[in-house]
PDB file of all heavy atoms in Angstrom:
ATOM      1  N   ALA N 548       0.847  -1.189   0.000  1.00  0.00           N
ATOM      2  CA  ALA N 548       0.000   0.000   0.000  1.00  0.00           C
ATOM      3  C   ALA N 548       0.886   1.244   0.000  1.00  0.00           C
ATOM      4  O   ALA N 548       1.926   1.260   0.665  1.00  0.00           O
ATOM      5  CB  ALA N 548      -0.914   0.000   1.222  1.00  0.00           C
ATOM      6  N   PRO N 549       0.498   2.276  -0.746  1.00  0.00           N
ATOM      7  CA  PRO N 549       1.346   3.468  -0.845  1.00  0.00           C
ATOM      8  C   PRO N 549       1.215   4.374   0.382  1.00  0.00           C
ATOM      9  O   PRO N 549       0.802   5.530   0.295  1.00  0.00           O
ATOM     10  CB  PRO N 549       0.842   4.144  -2.123  1.00  0.00           C
ATOM     11  CG  PRO N 549      -0.595   3.749  -2.208  1.00  0.00           C
ATOM     12  CD  PRO N 549      -0.660   2.364  -1.636  1.00  0.00           C
ATOM     13  N   THR N 550       1.559   3.812   1.547  1.00  0.00           N
ATOM     14  CA  THR N 550       1.442   4.557   2.800  1.00  0.00           C
ATOM     15  C   THR N 550       2.778   4.750   3.498  1.00  0.00           C
ATOM     16  O   THR N 550       2.875   5.573   4.402  1.00  0.00           O
ATOM     17  CB  THR N 550       0.524   3.811   3.785  1.00  0.00           C
ATOM     18  OG1 THR N 550       1.143   2.559   4.102  1.00  0.00           O
ATOM     19  CG2 THR N 550      -0.865   3.572   3.213  1.00  0.00           C
ATOM     20  N   GLY N 551       3.753   3.938   3.145  1.00  0.00           N
ATOM     21  CA  GLY N 551       5.016   3.933   3.870  1.00  0.00           C
ATOM     22  C   GLY N 551       4.993   2.984   5.052  1.00  0.00           C
ATOM     23  O   GLY N 551       6.026   2.660   5.618  1.00  0.00           O
ATOM     24  N   SER N 552       3.790   2.532   5.436  1.00  0.00           N
ATOM     25  CA  SER N 552       3.674   1.607   6.566  1.00  0.00           C
ATOM     26  C   SER N 552       2.753   0.439   6.259  1.00  0.00           C
ATOM     27  O   SER N 552       2.388  -0.312   7.156  1.00  0.00           O
ATOM     28  CB  SER N 552       3.168   2.358   7.802  1.00  0.00           C
ATOM     29  OG  SER N 552       1.894   2.916   7.548  1.00  0.00           O
ATOM     30  N   GLY N 553       2.350   0.258   5.011  1.00  0.00           N
ATOM     31  CA  GLY N 553       1.469  -0.837   4.650  1.00  0.00           C
ATOM     32  C   GLY N 553       0.031  -0.572   5.052  1.00  0.00           C
ATOM     33  O   GLY N 553      -0.333   0.553   5.426  1.00  0.00           O
ATOM     34  N   PHE N 554      -0.795  -1.618   4.961  1.00  0.00           N
ATOM     35  CA  PHE N 554      -2.227  -1.489   5.241  1.00  0.00           C
ATOM     36  C   PHE N 554      -2.724  -2.800   5.831  1.00  0.00           C
ATOM     37  O   PHE N 554      -2.570  -3.862   5.230  1.00  0.00           O
ATOM     38  CB  PHE N 554      -2.971  -1.184   3.935  1.00  0.00           C
ATOM     39  CG  PHE N 554      -4.379  -0.711   4.113  1.00  0.00           C
ATOM     40  CD1 PHE N 554      -4.671   0.643   4.130  1.00  0.00           C
ATOM     41  CD2 PHE N 554      -5.415  -1.618   4.250  1.00  0.00           C
ATOM     42  CE1 PHE N 554      -5.972   1.090   4.279  1.00  0.00           C
ATOM     43  CE2 PHE N 554      -6.724  -1.184   4.405  1.00  0.00           C
ATOM     44  CZ  PHE N 554      -7.003   0.169   4.414  1.00  0.00           C
ATOM     45  N   TRP N 555      -3.303  -2.741   7.029  1.00  0.00           N
ATOM     46  CA  TRP N 555      -3.849  -3.914   7.701  1.00  0.00           C
ATOM     47  C   TRP N 555      -5.305  -4.097   7.305  1.00  0.00           C
ATOM     48  O   TRP N 555      -6.115  -3.182   7.455  1.00  0.00           O
ATOM     49  CB  TRP N 555      -3.753  -3.764   9.218  1.00  0.00           C
ATOM     50  CG  TRP N 555      -2.342  -3.769   9.711  1.00  0.00           C
ATOM     51  CD1 TRP N 555      -1.549  -2.686   9.976  1.00  0.00           C
ATOM     52  CD2 TRP N 555      -1.542  -4.917   9.992  1.00  0.00           C
ATOM     53  NE1 TRP N 555      -0.314  -3.097  10.398  1.00  0.00           N
ATOM     54  CE2 TRP N 555      -0.284  -4.469  10.416  1.00  0.00           C
ATOM     55  CE3 TRP N 555      -1.769  -6.291   9.913  1.00  0.00           C
ATOM     56  CZ2 TRP N 555       0.741  -5.340  10.781  1.00  0.00           C
ATOM     57  CZ3 TRP N 555      -0.753  -7.152  10.272  1.00  0.00           C
ATOM     58  CH2 TRP N 555       0.476  -6.674  10.703  1.00  0.00           C
ATOM     59  N   HIS N 556      -5.653  -5.297   6.827  1.00  0.00           N
ATOM     60  CA  HIS N 556      -7.007  -5.594   6.376  1.00  0.00           C
ATOM     61  C   HIS N 556      -7.826  -6.366   7.407  1.00  0.00           C
ATOM     62  O   HIS N 556      -9.054  -6.321   7.373  1.00  0.00           O
ATOM     63  CB  HIS N 556      -6.954  -6.401   5.073  1.00  0.00           C
ATOM     64  CG  HIS N 556      -6.540  -5.563   3.910  1.00  0.00           C
ATOM     65  ND1 HIS N 556      -7.439  -5.085   2.991  1.00  0.00           N
ATOM     66  CD2 HIS N 556      -5.337  -5.085   3.528  1.00  0.00           C
ATOM     67  CE1 HIS N 556      -6.810  -4.361   2.087  1.00  0.00           C
ATOM     68  NE2 HIS N 556      -5.517  -4.343   2.401  1.00  0.00           N
ATOM     69  N   TRP N 557      -7.134  -7.095   8.305  1.00  0.00           N
ATOM     70  CA  TRP N 557      -7.855  -7.910   9.287  1.00  0.00           C
ATOM     71  C   TRP N 557      -6.875  -8.360  10.346  1.00  0.00           C
ATOM     72  O   TRP N 557      -5.710  -8.657  10.040  1.00  0.00           O
ATOM     73  CB  TRP N 557      -8.448  -9.123   8.590  1.00  0.00           C
ATOM     74  CG  TRP N 557      -9.462  -9.937   9.326  1.00  0.00           C
ATOM     75  CD1 TRP N 557     -10.284  -9.551  10.341  1.00  0.00           C
ATOM     76  CD2 TRP N 557      -9.784 -11.310   9.064  1.00  0.00           C
ATOM     77  NE1 TRP N 557     -11.096 -10.586  10.728  1.00  0.00           N
ATOM     78  CE2 TRP N 557     -10.817 -11.682   9.951  1.00  0.00           C
ATOM     79  CE3 TRP N 557      -9.305 -12.259   8.165  1.00  0.00           C
ATOM     80  CZ2 TRP N 557     -11.371 -12.954   9.976  1.00  0.00           C
ATOM     81  CZ3 TRP N 557      -9.859 -13.530   8.180  1.00  0.00           C
ATOM     82  CH2 TRP N 557     -10.883 -13.868   9.075  1.00  0.00           C
ATOM     83  N   ALA N 558      -7.323  -8.414  11.592  1.00  0.00           N
ATOM     84  CA  ALA N 558      -6.480  -8.893  12.687  1.00  0.00           C
ATOM     85  C   ALA N 558      -7.378  -9.484  13.783  1.00  0.00           C
ATOM     86  O   ALA N 558      -8.273  -8.798  14.282  1.00  0.00           O
ATOM     87  CB  ALA N 558      -5.629  -7.768  13.256  1.00  0.00           C
ATOM     88  N   VAL N 559      -7.110 -10.758  14.113  1.00  0.00           N
ATOM     89  CA  VAL N 559      -7.901 -11.483  15.108  1.00  0.00           C
ATOM     90  C   VAL N 559      -6.946 -12.218  16.045  1.00  0.00           C
ATOM     91  O   VAL N 559      -5.954 -12.789  15.586  1.00  0.00           O
ATOM     92  CB  VAL N 559      -8.823 -12.527  14.434  1.00  0.00           C
ATOM     93  CG1 VAL N 559      -9.683 -13.240  15.467  1.00  0.00           C
ATOM     94  CG2 VAL N 559      -9.695 -11.888  13.368  1.00  0.00           C
ATOM     95  N   PHE N 560      -7.250 -12.213  17.334  1.00  0.00           N
ATOM     96  CA  PHE N 560      -6.448 -12.990  18.278  1.00  0.00           C
ATOM     97  C   PHE N 560      -7.353 -13.686  19.282  1.00  0.00           C
ATOM     98  O   PHE N 560      -8.572 -13.509  19.253  1.00  0.00           O
ATOM     99  CB  PHE N 560      -5.382 -12.121  18.966  1.00  0.00           C
ATOM    100  CG  PHE N 560      -5.900 -11.057  19.882  1.00  0.00           C
ATOM    101  CD1 PHE N 560      -5.952 -11.260  21.252  1.00  0.00           C
ATOM    102  CD2 PHE N 560      -6.297  -9.821  19.392  1.00  0.00           C
ATOM    103  CE1 PHE N 560      -6.405 -10.268  22.118  1.00  0.00           C
ATOM    104  CE2 PHE N 560      -6.744  -8.821  20.238  1.00  0.00           C
ATOM    105  CZ  PHE N 560      -6.799  -9.049  21.608  1.00  0.00           C
ATOM    106  N   ASP N 561      -6.752 -14.485  20.129  1.00  0.00           N
ATOM    107  CA  ASP N 561      -7.470 -15.319  21.102  1.00  0.00           C
ATOM    108  C   ASP N 561      -8.381 -16.337  20.414  1.00  0.00           C
ATOM    109  O   ASP N 561      -9.415 -16.734  20.961  1.00  0.00           O
ATOM    110  CB  ASP N 561      -8.254 -14.478  22.113  1.00  0.00           C
ATOM    111  CG  ASP N 561      -7.356 -13.798  23.134  1.00  0.00           C
ATOM    112  OD1 ASP N 561      -6.124 -14.010  23.101  1.00  0.00           O
ATOM    113  OD2 ASP N 561      -7.879 -13.031  23.960  1.00  0.00           O
ATOM    114  N   LEU N 562      -7.982 -16.775  19.212  1.00  0.00           N
ATOM    115  CA  LEU N 562      -8.677 -17.894  18.572  1.00  0.00           C
ATOM    116  C   LEU N 562      -8.285 -19.161  19.327  1.00  0.00           C
ATOM    117  O   LEU N 562      -7.144 -19.286  19.777  1.00  0.00           O
ATOM    118  CB  LEU N 562      -8.254 -18.013  17.103  1.00  0.00           C
ATOM    119  CG  LEU N 562      -8.741 -16.905  16.171  1.00  0.00           C
ATOM    120  CD1 LEU N 562      -7.918 -16.877  14.889  1.00  0.00           C
ATOM    121  CD2 LEU N 562     -10.222 -17.090  15.863  1.00  0.00           C
ATOM    122  N   PRO N 563      -9.194 -20.131  19.472  1.00  0.00           N
ATOM    123  CA  PRO N 563      -8.864 -21.335  20.234  1.00  0.00           C
ATOM    124  C   PRO N 563      -7.752 -22.162  19.591  1.00  0.00           C
ATOM    125  O   PRO N 563      -7.655 -22.250  18.365  1.00  0.00           O
ATOM    126  CB  PRO N 563     -10.176 -22.120  20.263  1.00  0.00           C
ATOM    127  CG  PRO N 563     -11.132 -21.407  19.403  1.00  0.00           C
ATOM    128  CD  PRO N 563     -10.560 -20.108  18.998  1.00  0.00           C
ATOM    129  N   ALA N 564      -6.933 -22.768  20.414  1.00  0.00           N
ATOM    130  CA  ALA N 564      -5.771 -23.534  19.962  1.00  0.00           C
ATOM    131  C   ALA N 564      -6.144 -24.742  19.122  1.00  0.00           C
ATOM    132  O   ALA N 564      -5.357 -25.187  18.290  1.00  0.00           O
ATOM    133  CB  ALA N 564      -4.939 -23.981  21.162  1.00  0.00           C
ATOM    134  N   ASP N 565      -7.351 -25.286  19.301  1.00  0.00           N
ATOM    135  CA  ASP N 565      -7.742 -26.471  18.539  1.00  0.00           C
ATOM    136  C   ASP N 565      -8.421 -26.149  17.209  1.00  0.00           C
ATOM    137  O   ASP N 565      -8.771 -27.042  16.449  1.00  0.00           O
ATOM    138  CB  ASP N 565      -8.620 -27.398  19.387  1.00  0.00           C
ATOM    139  CG  ASP N 565      -9.920 -26.745  19.831  1.00  0.00           C
ATOM    140  OD1 ASP N 565     -10.121 -25.526  19.604  1.00  0.00           O
ATOM    141  OD2 ASP N 565     -10.766 -27.465  20.411  1.00  0.00           O
ATOM    142  N   LEU N 566      -8.570 -24.892  16.896  1.00  0.00           N
ATOM    143  CA  LEU N 566      -9.168 -24.479  15.622  1.00  0.00           C
ATOM    144  C   LEU N 566      -8.193 -24.779  14.481  1.00  0.00           C
ATOM    145  O   LEU N 566      -6.994 -24.520  14.608  1.00  0.00           O
ATOM    146  CB  LEU N 566      -9.470 -22.972  15.683  1.00  0.00           C
ATOM    147  CG  LEU N 566     -10.256 -22.362  14.535  1.00  0.00           C
ATOM    148  CD1 LEU N 566     -11.696 -22.878  14.543  1.00  0.00           C
ATOM    149  CD2 LEU N 566     -10.251 -20.844  14.665  1.00  0.00           C
ATOM    150  N   ARG N 567      -8.665 -25.342  13.365  1.00  0.00           N
ATOM    151  CA  ARG N 567      -7.789 -25.663  12.231  1.00  0.00           C
ATOM    152  C   ARG N 567      -8.242 -25.028  10.927  1.00  0.00           C
ATOM    153  O   ARG N 567      -7.593 -25.170   9.906  1.00  0.00           O
ATOM    154  CB  ARG N 567      -7.682 -27.177  12.021  1.00  0.00           C
ATOM    155  CG  ARG N 567      -6.938 -27.885  13.116  1.00  0.00           C
ATOM    156  CD  ARG N 567      -5.476 -27.441  13.228  1.00  0.00           C
ATOM    157  NE  ARG N 567      -4.865 -27.984  14.421  1.00  0.00           N
ATOM    158  CZ  ARG N 567      -4.880 -27.388  15.615  1.00  0.00           C
ATOM    159  NH1 ARG N 567      -5.441 -26.201  15.770  1.00  0.00           N
ATOM    160  NH2 ARG N 567      -4.309 -27.948  16.660  1.00  0.00           N
ATOM    161  N   SER N 568      -9.385 -24.313  10.944  1.00  0.00           N
ATOM    162  CA  SER N 568      -9.833 -23.653   9.719  1.00  0.00           C
ATOM    163  C   SER N 568     -10.889 -22.599  10.040  1.00  0.00           C
ATOM    164  O   SER N 568     -11.486 -22.617  11.124  1.00  0.00           O
ATOM    165  CB  SER N 568     -10.407 -24.670   8.734  1.00  0.00           C
ATOM    166  OG  SER N 568     -11.594 -25.236   9.225  1.00  0.00           O
ATOM    167  N   LEU N 569     -11.051 -21.713   9.079  1.00  0.00           N
ATOM    168  CA  LEU N 569     -12.124 -20.719   9.121  1.00  0.00           C
ATOM    169  C   LEU N 569     -12.826 -20.745   7.768  1.00  0.00           C
ATOM    170  O   LEU N 569     -12.158 -20.788   6.728  1.00  0.00           O
ATOM    171  CB  LEU N 569     -11.567 -19.315   9.381  1.00  0.00           C
ATOM    172  CG  LEU N 569     -11.026 -19.037  10.778  1.00  0.00           C
ATOM    173  CD1 LEU N 569     -10.315 -17.695  10.817  1.00  0.00           C
ATOM    174  CD2 LEU N 569     -12.167 -19.066  11.802  1.00  0.00           C
ATOM    175  N   PRO N 570     -14.144 -20.696   7.764  1.00  0.00           N
ATOM    176  CA  PRO N 570     -14.852 -20.685   6.487  1.00  0.00           C
ATOM    177  C   PRO N 570     -14.756 -19.316   5.816  1.00  0.00           C
ATOM    178  O   PRO N 570     -14.460 -18.311   6.472  1.00  0.00           O
ATOM    179  CB  PRO N 570     -16.296 -20.989   6.887  1.00  0.00           C
ATOM    180  CG  PRO N 570     -16.419 -20.430   8.271  1.00  0.00           C
ATOM    181  CD  PRO N 570     -15.058 -20.656   8.908  1.00  0.00           C
ATOM    182  N   ALA N 571     -15.013 -19.280   4.530  1.00  0.00           N
ATOM    183  CA  ALA N 571     -15.113 -17.990   3.835  1.00  0.00           C
ATOM    184  C   ALA N 571     -16.166 -17.152   4.549  1.00  0.00           C
ATOM    185  O   ALA N 571     -17.188 -17.671   4.993  1.00  0.00           O
ATOM    186  CB  ALA N 571     -15.494 -18.210   2.374  1.00  0.00           C
ATOM    187  N   GLY N 572     -15.891 -15.884   4.705  1.00  0.00           N
ATOM    188  CA  GLY N 572     -16.833 -14.981   5.366  1.00  0.00           C
ATOM    189  C   GLY N 572     -16.681 -14.881   6.866  1.00  0.00           C
ATOM    190  O   GLY N 572     -17.415 -14.126   7.509  1.00  0.00           O
ATOM    191  N   ALA N 573     -15.725 -15.612   7.453  1.00  0.00           N
ATOM    192  CA  ALA N 573     -15.548 -15.566   8.912  1.00  0.00           C
ATOM    193  C   ALA N 573     -15.175 -14.168   9.392  1.00  0.00           C
ATOM    194  O   ALA N 573     -15.388 -13.835  10.554  1.00  0.00           O
ATOM    195  CB  ALA N 573     -14.491 -16.568   9.364  1.00  0.00           C
ATOM    196  N   GLY N 574     -14.644 -13.336   8.512  1.00  0.00           N
ATOM    197  CA  GLY N 574     -14.251 -11.980   8.883  1.00  0.00           C
ATOM    198  C   GLY N 574     -15.332 -10.945   8.669  1.00  0.00           C
ATOM    199  O   GLY N 574     -15.060  -9.750   8.576  1.00  0.00           O
ATOM    200  N   SER N 575     -16.584 -11.366   8.626  1.00  0.00           N
ATOM    201  CA  SER N 575     -17.705 -10.472   8.325  1.00  0.00           C
ATOM    202  C   SER N 575     -17.956  -9.397   9.381  1.00  0.00           C
ATOM    203  O   SER N 575     -18.631  -8.409   9.113  1.00  0.00           O
ATOM    204  CB  SER N 575     -18.989 -11.291   8.158  1.00  0.00           C
ATOM    205  OG  SER N 575     -19.354 -11.875   9.407  1.00  0.00           O
ATOM    206  N   GLY N 576     -17.439  -9.604  10.568  1.00  0.00           N
ATOM    207  CA  GLY N 576     -17.734  -8.683  11.664  1.00  0.00           C
ATOM    208  C   GLY N 576     -18.888  -9.172  12.524  1.00  0.00           C
ATOM    209  O   GLY N 576     -19.131  -8.641  13.605  1.00  0.00           O
ATOM    210  N   ASP N 577     -19.621 -10.183  12.066  1.00  0.00           N
ATOM    211  CA  ASP N 577     -20.682 -10.804  12.859  1.00  0.00           C
ATOM    212  C   ASP N 577     -20.012 -11.568  13.997  1.00  0.00           C
ATOM    213  O   ASP N 577     -19.183 -12.444  13.747  1.00  0.00           O
ATOM    214  CB  ASP N 577     -21.480 -11.757  11.968  1.00  0.00           C
ATOM    215  CG  ASP N 577     -22.575 -12.515  12.710  1.00  0.00           C
ATOM    216  OD1 ASP N 577     -22.600 -12.522  13.963  1.00  0.00           O
ATOM    217  OD2 ASP N 577     -23.418 -13.110  12.017  1.00  0.00           O
ATOM    218  N   PRO N 578     -20.342 -11.243  15.241  1.00  0.00           N
ATOM    219  CA  PRO N 578     -19.675 -11.893  16.375  1.00  0.00           C
ATOM    220  C   PRO N 578     -19.812 -13.417  16.389  1.00  0.00           C
ATOM    221  O   PRO N 578     -18.986 -14.111  16.978  1.00  0.00           O
ATOM    222  CB  PRO N 578     -20.343 -11.283  17.611  1.00  0.00           C
ATOM    223  CG  PRO N 578     -21.111 -10.116  17.142  1.00  0.00           C
ATOM    224  CD  PRO N 578     -21.315 -10.253  15.669  1.00  0.00           C
ATOM    225  N   THR N 579     -20.831 -13.966  15.732  1.00  0.00           N
ATOM    226  CA  THR N 579     -21.016 -15.415  15.721  1.00  0.00           C
ATOM    227  C   THR N 579     -20.209 -16.096  14.604  1.00  0.00           C
ATOM    228  O   THR N 579     -20.177 -17.323  14.541  1.00  0.00           O
ATOM    229  CB  THR N 579     -22.504 -15.776  15.563  1.00  0.00           C
ATOM    230  OG1 THR N 579     -22.971 -15.310  14.288  1.00  0.00           O
ATOM    231  CG2 THR N 579     -23.339 -15.157  16.674  1.00  0.00           C
ATOM    232  N   ALA N 580     -19.551 -15.319  13.743  1.00  0.00           N
ATOM    233  CA  ALA N 580     -18.787 -15.897  12.630  1.00  0.00           C
ATOM    234  C   ALA N 580     -17.442 -16.466  13.087  1.00  0.00           C
ATOM    235  O   ALA N 580     -16.845 -17.273  12.382  1.00  0.00           O
ATOM    236  CB  ALA N 580     -18.574 -14.849  11.542  1.00  0.00           C
TER     237      ALA N 580
END
């Protein structure tokens, strides 16, 4: 991105350790996704 510092599109943490995948659309912002 032409910013000098890049551009963050998504950031998530505290995902459970046993999770192995996310479906398309998991980043919708819906808390249940």
Side-chain angles (χ1 to χ4, degrees):
T550 63
S552 61
F554 194 95
W555 293 96
H556 287 258
W557 193 24
V559 182
F560 66 98
D561 287 357
L562 290 162
D565 61 353
L566 188 68
R567 291 297 171 271
S568 67
L569 289 171
S575 67
D577 177 347
T579 64

